[in-house]
Amino acid sequence: MKGNRCLIFTILFFFALLSSSTVHAQILSYPFVVWDGKVYEVSEVVLLDEKIGNVIGKVNTKPNDSSGDYYGNASNMFEIGTKYYEISGVSMADAIAVENEKGHFIQADYVEKAIEQPMSMLQKGLVNVSIFAILIMILGFRYGLKRTKKEN
């Protein structure tokens, strides 16, 4: 029974890893941040502290220098760990604030939805279906063995 739990946990863990979203940066030529699947261009607008709302996220990845690929909340300008904030009176669909290394809040304006690579979606889908099918076959085989033993 302990072996079954370990096997199931391992398969589910890999399934979760493969389900993480990978998007393509299109090798953007401007400073950007990605939050919640949206690309925001970092502007030169410095915001007053009283305009800053709640923390909504932070940079957790940097784009790959050669391919431009990244996943999750990413930035080509800010370091990992840099926080994103709401701007009071502004919809997050239009703009968010990013805290720079000097502690100032810079406005980042919505540009476009982050584009997910079709090939990565296809690969992810095929791998996920394969893992799920293998898991079902293993569990079915083990169940069949237990039934056979009980009948004998």
Side-chain angles (χ1 to χ4, degrees):
M1 187 67 170
K2 197 173 193 179
N4 287 344
R5 287 183 187 164
C6 184
L7 176 66
I8 291 170
F9 175 78
T10 302
I11 291 171
L12 291 176
F13 177 74
F14 282 115
F15 185 84
L17 283 177
L18 293 169
S19 296
S20 65
S21 180
T22 301
V23 291
H24 185 66
Q26 302 172 341
I27 309 181
L28 300 173
S29 59
Y30 54 83
F32 70 89
V33 295
V34 176
W35 172 72
D36 196 29
K38 299 175 192 93
V39 179
Y40 293 83
E41 181 176 1
V42 179
S43 72
E44 295 181 11
V45 176
V46 178
L47 301 165
L48 300 172
D49 289 355
E50 53 267 11
K51 294 286 287 178
I52 303 305
N54 296 324
V55 173
I56 56 172
K58 65 181 180 177
V59 176
N60 59 25
T61 62
K62 301 287 276 178
N64 179 299
D65 290 335
S66 60
S67 69
D69 291 345
Y70 62 88
Y71 62 93
N73 294 341
S75 178
N76 65 350
M77 179 178 183
F78 296 101
E79 296 301 318
I80 292 174
T82 301
K83 294 180 182 174
Y84 303 151
Y85 296 85
E86 296 175 309
I87 301 172
S88 298
V90 178
S91 168
M92 289 183 287
D94 296 326
I96 60 174
V98 184
E99 186 175 12
N100 69 12
E101 65 280 349
K102 296 177 184 175
H104 297 114
F105 298 99
I106 310 298
Q107 183 169 318
D109 299 308
Y110 175 77
V111 177
E112 63 187 348
K113 186 176 179 188
I115 299 170
E116 189 160 0
Q117 296 176 338
M119 190 50 127
S120 73
M121 291 184 339
L122 177 63
Q123 289 172 341
K124 187 172 41 174
L126 290 175
V127 170
N128 288 345
V129 167
S130 298
I131 290 172
F132 185 72
I134 291 168
L135 178 63
I136 295 298
M137 287 188 299
I138 290 170
L139 293 175
F141 180 73
R142 293 190 70 107
Y143 178 75
L145 283 177
K146 285 182 182 179
R147 281 187 75 178
T148 304
K149 286 181 182 178
K150 284 184 182 178
E151 291 176 3
N152 291 333

